[in-house]
Amino acid sequence: MRLRRTVSSALGAAALVLTSLGAVAAASPAASGEPCGFYETGSDAFYRHCTTDGSQVVIKVEVARARDYERCVARGTTWLGSARKIQGAHYTGRTC
């Protein structure tokens, strides 16, 4: 009975470690499949702020036939609008 508990505990600990490693890998920029910075899909424009420090940054969004604007974005992916309207976005070098 004691051997069975030890094996079960060891398997449970191994499963916990593997689950934890999977969660870390899923949170990394490379694991998501999305690039950091500005990118487009077929119809939408996005900006992905890749950080591990929880910072928020100011980006400049370049808009076709309209005034460009600045926007504060947090960690992760932010939808900017239609890919037909948004021409690009870049980090301004400032936090917000």
PDB file of all heavy atoms in Angstrom, residues 2 5 7 20 29 35 42 58 77 81:
ATOM      1  N   ARG A   2       1.972   1.235   0.783  1.00  0.00           N
ATOM      2  CA  ARG A   2       2.852   2.396   0.852  1.00  0.00           C
ATOM      3  C   ARG A   2       3.517   2.653  -0.503  1.00  0.00           C
ATOM      4  O   ARG A   2       3.645   3.791  -0.926  1.00  0.00           O
ATOM      5  CB  ARG A   2       3.909   2.171   1.921  1.00  0.00           C
ATOM      6  CG  ARG A   2       4.750   3.383   2.149  1.00  0.00           C
ATOM      7  CD  ARG A   2       5.561   3.240   3.428  1.00  0.00           C
ATOM      8  NE  ARG A   2       6.172   4.497   3.737  1.00  0.00           N
ATOM      9  CZ  ARG A   2       7.456   4.710   3.739  1.00  0.00           C
ATOM     10  NH1 ARG A   2       8.291   3.740   3.456  1.00  0.00           N
ATOM     11  NH2 ARG A   2       7.935   5.889   4.033  1.00  0.00           N
ATOM     12  N   ARG A   5       1.104   4.478  -2.863  1.00  0.00           N
ATOM     13  CA  ARG A   5       0.973   5.909  -2.566  1.00  0.00           C
ATOM     14  C   ARG A   5       2.194   6.679  -3.074  1.00  0.00           C
ATOM     15  O   ARG A   5       2.071   7.768  -3.601  1.00  0.00           O
ATOM     16  CB  ARG A   5       0.830   6.121  -1.062  1.00  0.00           C
ATOM     17  CG  ARG A   5      -0.541   5.844  -0.565  1.00  0.00           C
ATOM     18  CD  ARG A   5      -0.678   6.305   0.858  1.00  0.00           C
ATOM     19  NE  ARG A   5      -1.935   5.836   1.386  1.00  0.00           N
ATOM     20  CZ  ARG A   5      -2.141   5.450   2.615  1.00  0.00           C
ATOM     21  NH1 ARG A   5      -1.149   5.478   3.481  1.00  0.00           N
ATOM     22  NH2 ARG A   5      -3.313   5.055   3.007  1.00  0.00           N
ATOM     23  N   VAL A   7       4.202   5.852  -5.580  1.00  0.00           N
ATOM     24  CA  VAL A   7       4.134   5.911  -7.041  1.00  0.00           C
ATOM     25  C   VAL A   7       3.075   6.908  -7.469  1.00  0.00           C
ATOM     26  O   VAL A   7       3.303   7.742  -8.350  1.00  0.00           O
ATOM     27  CB  VAL A   7       3.865   4.506  -7.637  1.00  0.00           C
ATOM     28  CG1 VAL A   7       3.565   4.609  -9.119  1.00  0.00           C
ATOM     29  CG2 VAL A   7       5.051   3.590  -7.387  1.00  0.00           C
ATOM     30  N   SER A  20       2.479  22.549 -15.566  1.00  0.00           N
ATOM     31  CA  SER A  20       3.043  23.876 -15.340  1.00  0.00           C
ATOM     32  C   SER A  20       3.912  24.301 -16.508  1.00  0.00           C
ATOM     33  O   SER A  20       3.848  25.433 -16.965  1.00  0.00           O
ATOM     34  CB  SER A  20       3.868  23.907 -14.058  1.00  0.00           C
ATOM     35  OG  SER A  20       3.047  23.645 -12.944  1.00  0.00           O
ATOM     36  N   PRO A  29       5.545  34.223 -26.251  1.00  0.00           N
ATOM     37  CA  PRO A  29       5.211  34.796 -27.545  1.00  0.00           C
ATOM     38  C   PRO A  29       5.313  33.804 -28.698  1.00  0.00           C
ATOM     39  O   PRO A  29       4.470  33.788 -29.576  1.00  0.00           O
ATOM     40  CB  PRO A  29       6.233  35.919 -27.712  1.00  0.00           C
ATOM     41  CG  PRO A  29       6.665  36.257 -26.337  1.00  0.00           C
ATOM     42  CD  PRO A  29       6.557  34.971 -25.553  1.00  0.00           C
ATOM     43  N   PRO A  35       2.910  37.083 -34.217  1.00  0.00           N
ATOM     44  CA  PRO A  35       4.159  37.826 -34.051  1.00  0.00           C
ATOM     45  C   PRO A  35       3.999  38.964 -33.046  1.00  0.00           C
ATOM     46  O   PRO A  35       2.886  39.407 -32.769  1.00  0.00           O
ATOM     47  CB  PRO A  35       4.402  38.380 -35.457  1.00  0.00           C
ATOM     48  CG  PRO A  35       3.035  38.514 -36.039  1.00  0.00           C
ATOM     49  CD  PRO A  35       2.246  37.352 -35.474  1.00  0.00           C
ATOM     50  N   GLY A  42      -6.247  38.404 -42.980  1.00  0.00           N
ATOM     51  CA  GLY A  42      -6.884  38.759 -44.244  1.00  0.00           C
ATOM     52  C   GLY A  42      -7.761  40.000 -44.150  1.00  0.00           C
ATOM     53  O   GLY A  42      -7.839  40.787 -45.079  1.00  0.00           O
ATOM     54  N   VAL A  58       2.746  52.901 -25.425  1.00  0.00           N
ATOM     55  CA  VAL A  58       2.048  53.756 -26.384  1.00  0.00           C
ATOM     56  C   VAL A  58       2.483  53.335 -27.778  1.00  0.00           C
ATOM     57  O   VAL A  58       3.686  53.217 -28.058  1.00  0.00           O
ATOM     58  CB  VAL A  58       2.388  55.242 -26.153  1.00  0.00           C
ATOM     59  CG1 VAL A  58       1.698  56.121 -27.191  1.00  0.00           C
ATOM     60  CG2 VAL A  58       2.003  55.672 -24.749  1.00  0.00           C
ATOM     61  N   THR A  77      -2.732  40.833 -27.340  1.00  0.00           N
ATOM     62  CA  THR A  77      -3.136  41.268 -28.673  1.00  0.00           C
ATOM     63  C   THR A  77      -4.280  42.271 -28.597  1.00  0.00           C
ATOM     64  O   THR A  77      -5.265  42.053 -27.907  1.00  0.00           O
ATOM     65  CB  THR A  77      -3.568  40.048 -29.514  1.00  0.00           C
ATOM     66  OG1 THR A  77      -2.472  39.120 -29.555  1.00  0.00           O
ATOM     67  CG2 THR A  77      -3.943  40.438 -30.924  1.00  0.00           C
ATOM     68  N   GLY A  81      -8.476  47.402 -35.984  1.00  0.00           N
ATOM     69  CA  GLY A  81      -9.513  47.723 -36.957  1.00  0.00           C
ATOM     70  C   GLY A  81      -9.341  46.915 -38.218  1.00  0.00           C
ATOM     71  O   GLY A  81      -8.591  45.938 -38.274  1.00  0.00           O
TER      72      GLY A  81
END
